Structure formats: C-alpha cells, structure tokens
C-alpha cells in the first residue's frame, strides 16, 4: 500500500505550562527540560468526533478522493463519549461513508497497528482504498490534580488515506504486556447481580518504566526492521517518532546515532496526543512540503499495554 493523502485537526484551546502552574504545583522550568512540552491543544467546547471528521475530510481532499472511493475505515481511539457504537461508525455517519468500519484500541501505536491491518486487507485484495483516522482525547483520561500525568497530554485527530502500492517495506508489532504501567479504569453500571469490588481510577503511569520501554523497544525495532528489509539508517529520510516526550525521542535518536534533522517533532506545542500524534506529525510535515517521492519514512510508537510498533514506508 502507499499513502495518498493526510489530514489533521486540533482543538482550538492551547494551554501553556504557565497556565497549568496557576492551579498545579508545577512550572515551565520543571516541564520543559523533562518533556520538551511548552503547550498543548486541549478539548474544551469541541467534540472529538468532529475533529476526527475534519482530519478525515482533509486527508480525502489531499488524496483527491471522495467518500465513495473508501472501502474500509479503521479508527484508532482509546476513549470518547460513546461506549457504542464505535467512533468509526460515528465518523462514517457524519461523512456519509457506507463502507465497513471498526475501531481499534492499541493506545499510542494505534496508527501503525491500523496500518498493519490495512496492509492485510490490501494483500488479500479486499480493498483499493483505506482511510485510517486516529482521534484521541487523553486530557479526559487524566486527573487534572495529578501533575505527574496531566502536563504530558494534548488532544487531536490525524488521518491518512492509503491506496494500492508496494511502498510499505516492513512493519513490526511488539508487546510486553504489563497492564499496571499505564492504566485507567472506569466503573460500569451496576446490576442486581454484581457484588464484586470495582474500581474507578484516572490514568496512572509508571513514568520511568514507560520511558525505558519506549527508548529500548523503539531503537531495537527500528534496527531490526531495517536489517530485515535490507535497508540502513542512512537510507531513512525521516524518523516519525510518537510525540510523547522530547527526551524519549532524543534517547532513541542517540541510540541509533542519527542526526536530529531526520527527527521532525511537534511535541513542543502539541503534547502527547496518543495514537493521533504520528498522523498529525505526518500531516504537518506533508503540508510543509518536506517529503518528496521516494523518501523513506520510519514510524515508531509505543504506549499503554505495553505495546509498540514500527513501520517503514516510502513516500
Ligand atoms: N511538576 C513538578 N514536579 C513534578 C511534576 C510536575 N509536572 N511531575 C512530577 N513531579 C515531581 C514528582 O512528584 C517527584 O517529586 P518527589 O521526588 O518529591 O517525589 C519528582 O518530580 C520526580 O518525579 P519522577 O516521576 O521520578 O520524575 P521523572 O524524572 O521520571 O519524570 C516523567 C517524569 C513523566 C516526565 C518521565 O518519567 C517520563 O517522561 N516518562 C515517560 C512518560 C510518557 O511519555 N508516557 C507516555 C508514553 S506513550
């Protein structure tokens, strides 16, 4: 498969570090050196589904395709206001898409997990065009009195349209299941029969463990996938790393020994938007005209699960 178009949409409200220190015991001086984040886009009066639809429409426009051309919609999402139907159904209804659609919840690597699924559909000839939409609102998952988590996240949606081609050179999904490393729990509705103890808990994260997992897994998988596809680090034009933390991105880059120019970032004014981060970065780079035909892009992302995923795709 190959990328035909990209799109993204962000909430209007931007919250700077100094805004946070008005109600939280934190500071720009603490946040910036540890994360690289100066501000983040936060959902206020918008609905996530509308951001998702805007991103998807922009990706279709960029690909010069219409809704009737899309054979499958995959939406990557961890949480939104609907329990059912899936966010992909809500997006499809708003856009007038009538193709099969489903959601995946693979947390931050969701874009690459969705690419892997799309690739399987292309390989067995079931589709000609696939729309992937990643829409996330992690700012609704954190406790805004917990300075260790709420300063890290931002919201948004990113989308990409894929068509037939042989541009996907390789993909590697990995998992180290450890649900306690990043975890949020919600209580379901009571029934006359449930008498077990149930927990409701905003997002908790073992930051240092996640940091270590991200850097080691991503660097390992990038080296592994390049050697399996007969490519070298020098062949890669851009490393599109999940925008979780600038120090994580720098850690991966240092392990690989690659120049910073090959690592585009937008973390400074976006924060971590979970699975939306890679397609938002992709769209922003695309709209800046950074990519030329034949450029080699490596995507790598990691997150709750713990899951990680890496893909090599030619522009
Ligand atoms: N402002 C000020 N102080 C803060 C703070 C904040 N926003 N967040 C935490 N602290 C404090 C802690 O309370 C702790 O204080 P104490 O020593 O008095 O207990 C101190 O800073 C150190 O906390 P610690 O959690 O050990 O900091 P750290 O150096 O590990 O940095 C992260 C924390 C979250 C920045 C870092 O672990 C990280 O980036 N992890 C990866 C997180 C991530 O990207 N997750 C998503 C992946 S998809």
């Amino acid at each position: 498969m190959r990328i035909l178009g990209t799109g993204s949409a962000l909430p209007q409200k931007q919250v700077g570090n100094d805004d946070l220190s008005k109600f939280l015991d934190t500071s720009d001086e603490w946040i910036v050196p540890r994360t690289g984040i100066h501000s983040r886009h936060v959902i206020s009066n918008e609905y996530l589904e509308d951001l998702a639809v805007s991103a998807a429409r922009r990706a279709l426009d960029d690909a010069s395709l219409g809704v009737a051309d899309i054979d499958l919609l995959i939406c990557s999402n961890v949480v939104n206001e609907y329990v059912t139907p899936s966010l992909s159904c809500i997006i499809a209804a708003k856009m007038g898409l009538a193709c099969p659609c489903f959601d995946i919840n693979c947390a931050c690597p969701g874009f690459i997990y969705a690419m892997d699924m799309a690739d399987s559909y292309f390989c067995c000839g079931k589709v000609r065009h696939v729309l992937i939409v990643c829409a996330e609102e992690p700012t609704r998952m954190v406790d805004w009195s917990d300075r260790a988590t709420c300063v890290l996240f931002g919201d948004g949606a990113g989308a990409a349209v894929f068509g037939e081609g042989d541009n996907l050179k390789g993909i590697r999904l990995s998992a180290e299941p450890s649900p306690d490393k990043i975890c949020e729990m919600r209580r379901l509705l009571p029934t006359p029969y449930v008498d077990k103890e149930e927990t409701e808990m905003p997002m908790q994260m073992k930051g240092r463990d996640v940091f270590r997992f991200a850097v080691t897994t991503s660097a390992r998988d990038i080296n592994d996938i390049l050697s399996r596809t007969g490519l070298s680090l020098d062949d890669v034009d851009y490393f599109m790393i999940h925008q979780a933390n600038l120090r994580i991105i720098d850690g991966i880059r240092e392990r690989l020994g690659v120049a910073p120019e090959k690592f585009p970032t937008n973390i400074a004014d976006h924060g971590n938007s979970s699975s939306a981060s890679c397609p938002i970065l992709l769209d922003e780079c695309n709209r800046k005209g950074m990519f030329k035909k034949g450029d080699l892009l490596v995507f790598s992302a990691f997150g709750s699960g713990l899951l990680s995923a890496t893909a090599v795709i030619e522009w």
Side-chain angles (χ1 to χ4, degrees), residues 24 139-150 202-204:
L24 209 56
T139 69
R140 305 300 303 276
M141 301 171 64
V142 291
D143 171 357
W144 279 80
S145 65
D146 175 11
R147 63 182 182 175
T149 53
C150 74
M203 190 199 293
Q204 308 285 311

Side-chain angles (χ1 to χ4, degrees), residues 1-244:
M1 62 188 197
R2 66 193 175 103
I3 301 170
L4 300 179
T6 67
S8 61
L10 297 168
Q12 297 243 308
K13 188 160 194 60
Q14 234 180 324
V15 177
N17 294 341
D18 290 340
D19 299 318
L20 297 180
S21 49
K22 286 182 190 141
F23 62 90
L24 209 56
D25 182 13
T26 190
S27 63
D28 193 57
E29 291 70 33
W30 193 95
I31 299 170
V32 172
R34 284 173 184 79
T35 68
I37 301 167
H38 295 255
S39 65
R40 65 287 288 146
H41 294 263
V42 174
I43 280 201
S44 52
N45 57 0
E46 303 98 341
Y47 293 94
L48 186 65
E49 63 208 60
D50 294 328
L51 294 177
V53 167
S54 298
R57 286 205 175 111
R58 287 174 190 154
L60 280 180
D61 284 350
D62 191 40
S64 303
L65 292 173
V67 288
D69 298 308
I70 300 300
D71 304 309
L72 176 68
L73 164 62
I74 307 175
C75 177
S76 166
N77 170 257
V78 175
V79 80
N80 71 88
E81 285 168 75
Y82 284 86
V83 172
T84 192
S86 68
L87 188 55
S88 61
C89 287
I90 311 281
I91 297 168
K94 289 206 162 190
M95 292 181 68
L97 276 163
C99 62
C101 55
F102 57 82
D103 281 13
I104 59 168
N105 179 346
C106 300
C108 306
F111 181 58
I112 305 169
Y113 270 74
M115 278 169 64
D116 187 58
M117 291 182 142
D119 180 46
S120 309
Y121 278 82
F122 279 110
C123 286
C124 61
K126 282 187 172 176
V127 290
R128 290 187 54 229
H129 298 113
V130 175
L131 172 61
I132 295 177
V133 183
C134 303
E136 303 281 11
E137 46 185 335
T139 69
R140 305 300 303 276
M141 301 171 64
V142 291
D143 171 357
W144 279 80
S145 65
D146 175 11
R147 63 182 182 175
T149 53
C150 74
V151 304
L152 302 172
F153 294 96
D155 305 319
V161 181
F162 293 82
E164 291 162 304
D166 61 358
N167 295 34
L168 183 66
K169 303 303 175 194
I171 207 156
R172 175 175 171 161
L173 310 181
S174 15
E176 263 179 39
S178 32
D180 62 324
K181 297 282 164 65
I182 305 178
C183 176
E184 177 185 350
M185 294 176 80
R186 66 183 158 202
R187 197 172 279 127
L188 302 181
L189 293 174
T191 79
Y193 311 107
V194 168
D195 56 6
K196 60 192 172 180
E197 224 173 86
E198 290 185 319
T199 314
E200 189 149 79
M201 183 183 82
M203 190 199 293
Q204 308 285 311
M205 182 170 57
K206 297 194 169 149
R208 292 194 171 194
D209 292 350
V210 175
F211 194 108
R212 206 172 308 116
F213 169 79
V215 173
T216 54
T217 314
S218 181
R220 180 199 69 197
D221 288 358
I222 290 172
N223 275 323
D224 176 76
I225 200 167
L226 287 175
S227 77
R228 277 198 287 129
T229 47
L231 294 161
S232 76
L233 290 165
D234 287 341
D235 293 321
V236 178
D237 293 283
Y238 294 105
F239 293 85
M240 313 291 288
I241 309 293
H242 168 44
Q243 304 289 297

